[in-house]
Every structure is written in C-alpha cells, then in structure tokens.
Amino acid sequence: MAFYYIDNEFGLRARLLAEASRKAGVEFVQVRPDEFDNTQIPNLTRSDFLYRGVAKHDCPTAVIVERLLLNDSVTTFYNSPEIGRGTRLGSFVIHSSAGIPIPKTVWSLTRDTSVLKRYVDYLGGFPVVIKVLNSSRGAGVMRADSWQSLVSLNDYLLRSDQVFVLREFIDVGVPAHSCRAVVLGGQVTVAYRMQQPEGDDFRSNAGKRLRQRTLLTLIEQEQATMILSVESLGLELGAVDFAYTAEGRLVVFEVNFPFAFGSVLTKLQYDLPGAMVAYLQKKSSWQA
C-alpha cells in the first residue's frame, strides 16, 4: 500500500501528506513529473493511492503523468479514471446544468460588438468579470467597468491562447471577501471565510499571505450545495469557492482540485491530510 503524490516540490503539502501516510502505515512515494520515466510506468493497484498535488497551470507535465498512472484499479478522489481527464470549462457547464447557483456566465467572447453588448446586458451591466481559466490566487481575474475597457480586453484575449469566461460581477462589499468549503467523501469537513485586507482590490483570493480567514458554520441547505458542486464533477474531494451577495444570495464560483491546504487548514486546526489518507484507505477497502 502506497500513496503516490505527484509534484516536483516537496513543500508543506507534501510534508503533511507524507506525515499523515506514515502515521497510517502507508508508504509515501513522491512522483516528480520533471524526472518521470515514461518507459517505466508502474502498475498501480487498488491498494495504492494516487493524488496530483499541483495544478495544471503550475505544472502541465503533472497532468500528463497523472493520466499515465490512472487506471481502473488505483484508488483516487475521482469517481472514475475518466474524471481526471476533464477541463475547468467543462466544470462550469456541468454546474450550470445541475442547477447550482453560479454567477451568470457567458462561455466565450466574440468579435461581434452587437453580440458582446447583449452579453453585458444579460450579465446585468457593468462591471463584468473576465476569468482566465486554469489560474489561481486571483491571477487572470479581470474586471471591466466600462465598454471601452471591455473592448480592449476582448481584443487582446481573442488573440491569445487562453481559455476564459465572461461573468456577472458579484458585489460582496468592501473589503472583498469570499468563502471556501472543503468537501471530502460527501461531507463538508470545514468551511471558512477569506477576507482581502486591501480595500482597493476586488479579488478576495489575491494576496495569499495577507488574507484573513475565519471558520464558518453552514446550514444544511448550504452544505448540500457544496456537496453537489463537488460530486457533480465526479470528485470526492474539492474546495468550493463561494460568496454571499449583499441580498444574502449564495453564489458558487468554482471547485478547486487540487487546492492549497497546508498552512491555511493547519492554522484553522483541521487535519485535512490525515482525513484524506483515512478516506482513501476506507475507499480501497470498499472496492475490495
């Protein structure tokens, strides 16, 4: 029994998972994408666990290695190996189809200015938000406050190789803040509020080291929304980013997998690495 962890770096997340594995009597094997030998691919079994700890935009090769190691037997946080081959854009479409309360979204931009104006009207007018996919910590989240700024951004993005969506702006007030709920095995295990201390930044998840975090208690209906947001994507683990509008409406922004949890959840005194290893051990025995 071994926990195969994909990441080039042996950072805090890796160290926490390695320690959790050791306590559970599970061998911890770090797979470094930059050193991976494509001619020597191990055949992972049901007793082995596989987890990619780095996002695609930080290490595209890690996704390739994960797909090479995925098979019908190995134990993961996916409902099936095919889930590991999905895309971020696809997750937004799935959430929309599942009736999850996401911001109004336009799935692509257009060079036709008359259509672009209809998009803005559909989203409730300015400001609107452009989100570049496969990015994190606020990078690639842009706010257009006027037609002039949107047109210039639109021209640039349509000539880039990025994938992005156009969304309504969710005004949560000042300072900017949002919330995160961690779902594991069909349960919300921890939820907390993230607040941006800098009043002039509308992105609640920018300035990673400066963000203030406080624990949240979600009501049953809110927990059900978090769980559906993760499970509708075929995931058994995920961090759901969401917020409440000034009117109290809950809006789900996205599900993150993988996601950062090292220092954040340690400060909140929640042992997610231990819970992750324990869950995979149980799942492995269920599949026996």
Side-chain angles (χ1 to χ4, degrees), residues 211-233:
R211 279 177 283 170
Q212 301 168 1
R213 301 174 178 88
T214 53
L215 287 170
L216 281 178
T217 299
L218 303 182
I219 63 175
E220 185 175 348
Q221 183 178 0
E222 293 171 333
Q223 291 185 43
T225 298
M226 301 300 114
I227 294 167
L228 178 60
S229 297
V230 172
E231 292 188 343
S232 64
L233 304 181

PDB file of all heavy atoms in Angstrom, residues 211-233:
ATOM      1  N   ARG A 211      -4.369  37.372   3.448  1.00  0.00           N
ATOM      2  CA  ARG A 211      -5.793  37.119   3.643  1.00  0.00           C
ATOM      3  C   ARG A 211      -6.098  36.677   5.070  1.00  0.00           C
ATOM      4  O   ARG A 211      -5.378  35.892   5.663  1.00  0.00           O
ATOM      5  CB  ARG A 211      -6.277  36.039   2.663  1.00  0.00           C
ATOM      6  CG  ARG A 211      -6.562  36.557   1.286  1.00  0.00           C
ATOM      7  CD  ARG A 211      -6.954  35.419   0.360  1.00  0.00           C
ATOM      8  NE  ARG A 211      -5.796  34.651  -0.068  1.00  0.00           N
ATOM      9  CZ  ARG A 211      -5.871  33.499  -0.724  1.00  0.00           C
ATOM     10  NH1 ARG A 211      -7.032  32.987  -1.015  1.00  0.00           N
ATOM     11  NH2 ARG A 211      -4.777  32.870  -1.089  1.00  0.00           N
ATOM     12  N   GLN A 212      -7.196  37.194   5.600  1.00  0.00           N
ATOM     13  CA  GLN A 212      -7.661  36.810   6.922  1.00  0.00           C
ATOM     14  C   GLN A 212      -8.709  35.718   6.776  1.00  0.00           C
ATOM     15  O   GLN A 212      -9.599  35.804   5.942  1.00  0.00           O
ATOM     16  CB  GLN A 212      -8.241  38.030   7.633  1.00  0.00           C
ATOM     17  CG  GLN A 212      -7.240  39.160   7.798  1.00  0.00           C
ATOM     18  CD  GLN A 212      -7.903  40.451   8.245  1.00  0.00           C
ATOM     19  OE1 GLN A 212      -9.108  40.503   8.457  1.00  0.00           O
ATOM     20  NE2 GLN A 212      -7.111  41.501   8.380  1.00  0.00           N
ATOM     21  N   ARG A 213      -8.621  34.689   7.612  1.00  0.00           N
ATOM     22  CA  ARG A 213      -9.522  33.543   7.493  1.00  0.00           C
ATOM     23  C   ARG A 213     -10.180  33.240   8.826  1.00  0.00           C
ATOM     24  O   ARG A 213      -9.505  33.188   9.858  1.00  0.00           O
ATOM     25  CB  ARG A 213      -8.751  32.318   6.984  1.00  0.00           C
ATOM     26  CG  ARG A 213      -8.093  32.537   5.615  1.00  0.00           C
ATOM     27  CD  ARG A 213      -7.230  31.363   5.239  1.00  0.00           C
ATOM     28  NE  ARG A 213      -6.626  31.531   3.932  1.00  0.00           N
ATOM     29  CZ  ARG A 213      -5.458  32.147   3.725  1.00  0.00           C
ATOM     30  NH1 ARG A 213      -4.780  32.643   4.752  1.00  0.00           N
ATOM     31  NH2 ARG A 213      -4.969  32.251   2.509  1.00  0.00           N
ATOM     32  N   THR A 214     -11.496  33.046   8.787  1.00  0.00           N
ATOM     33  CA  THR A 214     -12.249  32.706   9.993  1.00  0.00           C
ATOM     34  C   THR A 214     -13.194  31.549   9.668  1.00  0.00           C
ATOM     35  O   THR A 214     -13.729  31.462   8.565  1.00  0.00           O
ATOM     36  CB  THR A 214     -13.073  33.903  10.502  1.00  0.00           C
ATOM     37  OG1 THR A 214     -13.884  34.412   9.438  1.00  0.00           O
ATOM     38  CG2 THR A 214     -12.155  35.003  11.006  1.00  0.00           C
ATOM     39  N   LEU A 215     -13.404  30.670  10.633  1.00  0.00           N
ATOM     40  CA  LEU A 215     -14.243  29.497  10.427  1.00  0.00           C
ATOM     41  C   LEU A 215     -15.706  29.894  10.234  1.00  0.00           C
ATOM     42  O   LEU A 215     -16.185  30.871  10.812  1.00  0.00           O
ATOM     43  CB  LEU A 215     -14.123  28.549  11.615  1.00  0.00           C
ATOM     44  CG  LEU A 215     -12.802  27.772  11.723  1.00  0.00           C
ATOM     45  CD1 LEU A 215     -12.723  27.060  13.056  1.00  0.00           C
ATOM     46  CD2 LEU A 215     -12.671  26.765  10.576  1.00  0.00           C
ATOM     47  N   LEU A 216     -16.418  29.104   9.409  1.00  0.00           N
ATOM     48  CA  LEU A 216     -17.830  29.314   9.130  1.00  0.00           C
ATOM     49  C   LEU A 216     -18.627  28.062   9.483  1.00  0.00           C
ATOM     50  O   LEU A 216     -18.108  26.946   9.385  1.00  0.00           O
ATOM     51  CB  LEU A 216     -18.061  29.595   7.644  1.00  0.00           C
ATOM     52  CG  LEU A 216     -17.787  30.988   7.083  1.00  0.00           C
ATOM     53  CD1 LEU A 216     -18.046  30.958   5.579  1.00  0.00           C
ATOM     54  CD2 LEU A 216     -18.655  32.030   7.751  1.00  0.00           C
ATOM     55  N   THR A 217     -19.877  28.254   9.846  1.00  0.00           N
ATOM     56  CA  THR A 217     -20.806  27.141  10.013  1.00  0.00           C
ATOM     57  C   THR A 217     -21.896  27.279   8.961  1.00  0.00           C
ATOM     58  O   THR A 217     -22.576  28.315   8.897  1.00  0.00           O
ATOM     59  CB  THR A 217     -21.437  27.144  11.414  1.00  0.00           C
ATOM     60  OG1 THR A 217     -20.400  27.005  12.399  1.00  0.00           O
ATOM     61  CG2 THR A 217     -22.409  25.984  11.556  1.00  0.00           C
ATOM     62  N   LEU A 218     -22.058  26.278   8.106  1.00  0.00           N
ATOM     63  CA  LEU A 218     -23.033  26.319   7.031  1.00  0.00           C
ATOM     64  C   LEU A 218     -24.311  25.590   7.450  1.00  0.00           C
ATOM     65  O   LEU A 218     -24.249  24.557   8.110  1.00  0.00           O
ATOM     66  CB  LEU A 218     -22.469  25.663   5.764  1.00  0.00           C
ATOM     67  CG  LEU A 218     -21.160  26.239   5.216  1.00  0.00           C
ATOM     68  CD1 LEU A 218     -20.785  25.512   3.932  1.00  0.00           C
ATOM     69  CD2 LEU A 218     -21.273  27.733   4.965  1.00  0.00           C
ATOM     70  N   ILE A 219     -25.451  26.130   7.026  1.00  0.00           N
ATOM     71  CA  ILE A 219     -26.715  25.454   7.285  1.00  0.00           C
ATOM     72  C   ILE A 219     -26.837  24.255   6.348  1.00  0.00           C
ATOM     73  O   ILE A 219     -26.073  24.110   5.393  1.00  0.00           O
ATOM     74  CB  ILE A 219     -27.917  26.407   7.117  1.00  0.00           C
ATOM     75  CG1 ILE A 219     -28.019  26.905   5.671  1.00  0.00           C
ATOM     76  CG2 ILE A 219     -27.799  27.580   8.085  1.00  0.00           C
ATOM     77  CD1 ILE A 219     -29.258  27.746   5.410  1.00  0.00           C
ATOM     78  N   GLU A 220     -27.822  23.403   6.601  1.00  0.00           N
ATOM     79  CA  GLU A 220     -27.942  22.137   5.861  1.00  0.00           C
ATOM     80  C   GLU A 220     -28.075  22.363   4.354  1.00  0.00           C
ATOM     81  O   GLU A 220     -27.440  21.661   3.556  1.00  0.00           O
ATOM     82  CB  GLU A 220     -29.151  21.362   6.380  1.00  0.00           C
ATOM     83  CG  GLU A 220     -29.302  19.983   5.768  1.00  0.00           C
ATOM     84  CD  GLU A 220     -30.438  19.200   6.383  1.00  0.00           C
ATOM     85  OE1 GLU A 220     -30.953  19.627   7.429  1.00  0.00           O
ATOM     86  OE2 GLU A 220     -30.825  18.156   5.820  1.00  0.00           O
ATOM     87  N   GLN A 221     -28.879  23.332   3.937  1.00  0.00           N
ATOM     88  CA  GLN A 221     -29.071  23.589   2.509  1.00  0.00           C
ATOM     89  C   GLN A 221     -27.775  24.052   1.854  1.00  0.00           C
ATOM     90  O   GLN A 221     -27.462  23.655   0.721  1.00  0.00           O
ATOM     91  CB  GLN A 221     -30.166  24.631   2.303  1.00  0.00           C
ATOM     92  CG  GLN A 221     -30.476  24.904   0.834  1.00  0.00           C
ATOM     93  CD  GLN A 221     -31.597  25.918   0.670  1.00  0.00           C
ATOM     94  OE1 GLN A 221     -32.139  26.421   1.649  1.00  0.00           O
ATOM     95  NE2 GLN A 221     -31.943  26.221  -0.576  1.00  0.00           N
ATOM     96  N   GLU A 222     -27.020  24.882   2.549  1.00  0.00           N
ATOM     97  CA  GLU A 222     -25.736  25.347   2.009  1.00  0.00           C
ATOM     98  C   GLU A 222     -24.750  24.195   1.893  1.00  0.00           C
ATOM     99  O   GLU A 222     -24.013  24.098   0.906  1.00  0.00           O
ATOM    100  CB  GLU A 222     -25.175  26.452   2.905  1.00  0.00           C
ATOM    101  CG  GLU A 222     -26.013  27.723   2.884  1.00  0.00           C
ATOM    102  CD  GLU A 222     -25.573  28.723   3.938  1.00  0.00           C
ATOM    103  OE1 GLU A 222     -25.023  28.292   4.973  1.00  0.00           O
ATOM    104  OE2 GLU A 222     -25.797  29.934   3.742  1.00  0.00           O
ATOM    105  N   GLN A 223     -24.726  23.315   2.884  1.00  0.00           N
ATOM    106  CA  GLN A 223     -23.853  22.143   2.812  1.00  0.00           C
ATOM    107  C   GLN A 223     -24.224  21.275   1.616  1.00  0.00           C
ATOM    108  O   GLN A 223     -23.332  20.768   0.916  1.00  0.00           O
ATOM    109  CB  GLN A 223     -23.954  21.335   4.103  1.00  0.00           C
ATOM    110  CG  GLN A 223     -23.366  22.025   5.316  1.00  0.00           C
ATOM    111  CD  GLN A 223     -23.369  21.138   6.545  1.00  0.00           C
ATOM    112  OE1 GLN A 223     -23.044  19.950   6.460  1.00  0.00           O
ATOM    113  NE2 GLN A 223     -23.742  21.688   7.675  1.00  0.00           N
ATOM    114  N   ALA A 224     -25.514  21.112   1.373  1.00  0.00           N
ATOM    115  CA  ALA A 224     -25.954  20.296   0.242  1.00  0.00           C
ATOM    116  C   ALA A 224     -25.480  20.886  -1.078  1.00  0.00           C
ATOM    117  O   ALA A 224     -25.082  20.153  -2.002  1.00  0.00           O
ATOM    118  CB  ALA A 224     -27.481  20.176   0.249  1.00  0.00           C
ATOM    119  N   THR A 225     -25.488  22.219  -1.187  1.00  0.00           N
ATOM    120  CA  THR A 225     -24.998  22.877  -2.402  1.00  0.00           C
ATOM    121  C   THR A 225     -23.506  22.643  -2.585  1.00  0.00           C
ATOM    122  O   THR A 225     -23.038  22.383  -3.701  1.00  0.00           O
ATOM    123  CB  THR A 225     -25.283  24.393  -2.342  1.00  0.00           C
ATOM    124  OG1 THR A 225     -26.697  24.604  -2.282  1.00  0.00           O
ATOM    125  CG2 THR A 225     -24.725  25.103  -3.562  1.00  0.00           C
ATOM    126  N   MET A 226     -22.737  22.717  -1.501  1.00  0.00           N
ATOM    127  CA  MET A 226     -21.294  22.472  -1.582  1.00  0.00           C
ATOM    128  C   MET A 226     -21.011  21.038  -2.041  1.00  0.00           C
ATOM    129  O   MET A 226     -20.162  20.791  -2.906  1.00  0.00           O
ATOM    130  CB  MET A 226     -20.632  22.714  -0.215  1.00  0.00           C
ATOM    131  CG  MET A 226     -20.808  24.105   0.365  1.00  0.00           C
ATOM    132  SD  MET A 226     -20.130  25.407  -0.677  1.00  0.00           S
ATOM    133  CE  MET A 226     -21.637  26.260  -1.149  1.00  0.00           C
ATOM    134  N   ILE A 227     -21.728  20.098  -1.451  1.00  0.00           N
ATOM    135  CA  ILE A 227     -21.519  18.684  -1.788  1.00  0.00           C
ATOM    136  C   ILE A 227     -21.885  18.417  -3.246  1.00  0.00           C
ATOM    137  O   ILE A 227     -21.148  17.736  -3.977  1.00  0.00           O
ATOM    138  CB  ILE A 227     -22.339  17.790  -0.836  1.00  0.00           C
ATOM    139  CG1 ILE A 227     -21.794  17.924   0.595  1.00  0.00           C
ATOM    140  CG2 ILE A 227     -22.297  16.328  -1.283  1.00  0.00           C
ATOM    141  CD1 ILE A 227     -22.702  17.344   1.661  1.00  0.00           C
ATOM    142  N   LEU A 228     -23.012  18.970  -3.698  1.00  0.00           N
ATOM    143  CA  LEU A 228     -23.422  18.785  -5.089  1.00  0.00           C
ATOM    144  C   LEU A 228     -22.412  19.411  -6.044  1.00  0.00           C
ATOM    145  O   LEU A 228     -22.127  18.860  -7.115  1.00  0.00           O
ATOM    146  CB  LEU A 228     -24.808  19.393  -5.317  1.00  0.00           C
ATOM    147  CG  LEU A 228     -25.358  19.318  -6.749  1.00  0.00           C
ATOM    148  CD1 LEU A 228     -25.486  17.860  -7.204  1.00  0.00           C
ATOM    149  CD2 LEU A 228     -26.707  20.026  -6.841  1.00  0.00           C
ATOM    150  N   SER A 229     -21.847  20.545  -5.669  1.00  0.00           N
ATOM    151  CA  SER A 229     -20.869  21.221  -6.519  1.00  0.00           C
ATOM    152  C   SER A 229     -19.659  20.334  -6.784  1.00  0.00           C
ATOM    153  O   SER A 229     -19.103  20.326  -7.892  1.00  0.00           O
ATOM    154  CB  SER A 229     -20.415  22.530  -5.864  1.00  0.00           C
ATOM    155  OG  SER A 229     -21.491  23.435  -5.718  1.00  0.00           O
ATOM    156  N   VAL A 230     -19.252  19.571  -5.776  1.00  0.00           N
ATOM    157  CA  VAL A 230     -18.102  18.675  -5.915  1.00  0.00           C
ATOM    158  C   VAL A 230     -18.499  17.375  -6.602  1.00  0.00           C
ATOM    159  O   VAL A 230     -17.863  16.930  -7.564  1.00  0.00           O
ATOM    160  CB  VAL A 230     -17.468  18.397  -4.529  1.00  0.00           C
ATOM    161  CG1 VAL A 230     -16.392  17.308  -4.629  1.00  0.00           C
ATOM    162  CG2 VAL A 230     -16.865  19.676  -3.961  1.00  0.00           C
ATOM    163  N   GLU A 231     -19.567  16.759  -6.124  1.00  0.00           N
ATOM    164  CA  GLU A 231     -19.932  15.435  -6.638  1.00  0.00           C
ATOM    165  C   GLU A 231     -20.436  15.479  -8.075  1.00  0.00           C
ATOM    166  O   GLU A 231     -20.296  14.499  -8.809  1.00  0.00           O
ATOM    167  CB  GLU A 231     -20.985  14.805  -5.720  1.00  0.00           C
ATOM    168  CG  GLU A 231     -20.429  14.451  -4.349  1.00  0.00           C
ATOM    169  CD  GLU A 231     -21.401  13.660  -3.492  1.00  0.00           C
ATOM    170  OE1 GLU A 231     -22.605  13.665  -3.818  1.00  0.00           O
ATOM    171  OE2 GLU A 231     -20.946  13.047  -2.506  1.00  0.00           O
ATOM    172  N   SER A 232     -21.012  16.606  -8.511  1.00  0.00           N
ATOM    173  CA  SER A 232     -21.479  16.714  -9.898  1.00  0.00           C
ATOM    174  C   SER A 232     -20.316  16.654 -10.876  1.00  0.00           C
ATOM    175  O   SER A 232     -20.511  16.353 -12.059  1.00  0.00           O
ATOM    176  CB  SER A 232     -22.266  18.015 -10.094  1.00  0.00           C
ATOM    177  OG  SER A 232     -21.442  19.146  -9.908  1.00  0.00           O
ATOM    178  N   LEU A 233     -19.107  16.921 -10.396  1.00  0.00           N
ATOM    179  CA  LEU A 233     -17.913  16.859 -11.241  1.00  0.00           C
ATOM    180  C   LEU A 233     -17.235  15.494 -11.172  1.00  0.00           C
ATOM    181  O   LEU A 233     -16.169  15.303 -11.756  1.00  0.00           O
ATOM    182  CB  LEU A 233     -16.921  17.950 -10.824  1.00  0.00           C
ATOM    183  CG  LEU A 233     -17.444  19.386 -10.828  1.00  0.00           C
ATOM    184  CD1 LEU A 233     -16.345  20.354 -10.410  1.00  0.00           C
ATOM    185  CD2 LEU A 233     -17.987  19.756 -12.203  1.00  0.00           C
TER     186      LEU A 233
END
